[in-house]
Amino acid sequence: MTNVTIFTHPLIQHKISLLRDKNTCTSEFRALVEEIAMLMGFEALRDLPLEDVKIETPIETCMTPMLTGKKLALVPILRAGLGMVNGILALVPSAKVGHIGLYRDEVTHEPHEYYCKLPAPIDERMILAVDPMLATGGSAVDAVDLIKARGGKHIKFMSIIAAPEGLERLQKSHPDIQIYVGHLDRCLNEAAYICPGLGDAGDRIFGTR
Ligand code: PRP
Ligand code: URA
């Protein structure tokens, strides 16, 4: 699985375990999602393009690398992906932010699109799509479809927890993208929730249940 990175860093694993705990309250949950997104983003963005620029230090003039090219497009999948935005923006404050609105039908588990706005020109930007949960993979596949349909090319997808079924589906549907997963869980249950998972990420971030 050359295009998949599954994280093993102890800080990420520890924070994911805290996220799973049903006794973790909304404010802690939000803070943890943000911190994990930042830790994962640090690695996922290791190939941001650099260019040497001339800088005058107090000592002398030198050529030194700085980010170059069109600014990163960070694309959270609503709602739960919003929880990861500030963690990435802490690393790349200049990123542009697009939004993709998808919700999963509770019975069929199929995703339904309700919003899509991406920063132009999307074809010239590195794109980091974020959603804490990759379950059946339906939402992730649709989100990448939407990005590609608008011209997006250099696409990365980052989720905190994935089920094997969803990861395989995303990889098969979009073998050209880079996928980053904080932890690969065991399976989906009959309601298409990830096991052991963390429950409903959107509800836990926004306190809606
Ligand atoms: C959750 C999650 C993903 C999706 C994953 O969102 O944030 O977007 O489910 O499931 P899938 O891989 O089976 O498609 P949900 O549809 O619950 O919407 P919400 O974020 O608005 O709560
Ligand atoms: N969406 C969630 O928020 N959690 C799951 O386990 C599956 C889909």
Side-chain angles (χ1 to χ4, degrees), residues 80 104 133-136 188 192-195 197-203:
R104 245 178 29 152
M133 308 306 275
L134 178 58
T136 65
L188 295 175
Y193 273 82
I194 300 175
C195 303
L198 50 73
D200 188 302
D203 281 343

Side-chain angles (χ1 to χ4, degrees), residues 64-142:
T64 188
M66 288 187 83
L67 294 177
T68 189
K70 287 283 174 203
K71 295 188 168 55
L72 174 74
L74 173 60
V75 181
I77 300 173
L78 308 181
R79 287 177 301 167
L82 288 173
M84 299 171 76
V85 167
N86 285 344
I88 304 294
L89 288 182
L91 299 174
V92 194
S94 63
K96 307 281 183 183
V97 182
H99 295 88
I100 293 180
L102 292 170
Y103 72 90
R104 245 178 29 152
D105 183 282
E106 282 184 15
V107 178
T108 66
H109 310 132
E110 285 302 313
H112 293 272
E113 179 199 340
Y114 59 89
Y115 190 76
C116 182
K117 186 148 181 113
L118 304 177
I122 196 68
D123 55 314
E124 294 176 28
R125 299 181 190 280
M126 181 187 287
I127 300 155
L128 180 61
V130 293
D131 189 329
M133 308 306 275
L134 178 58
T136 65
S139 303
V141 168
D142 276 16

Side-chain angles (χ1 to χ4, degrees), residues 26 79 193 200-209:
T26 303
R79 287 177 301 167
Y193 273 82
D200 188 302
D203 281 343
R204 295 199 64 188
I205 289 169
F206 296 106
T208 41
R209 187 161 302 197

Side-chain angles (χ1 to χ4, degrees), residues 42-63:
F42 181 72
E43 173 64 24
L45 297 175
R46 66 159 51 248
D47 59 344
L48 278 170
L50 290 171
E51 179 185 34
D52 276 348
V53 298
K54 199 197 279 185
I55 294 277
E56 280 183 36
T57 79
I59 310 297
E60 62 178 34
T61 301
C62 66
M63 295 301 285

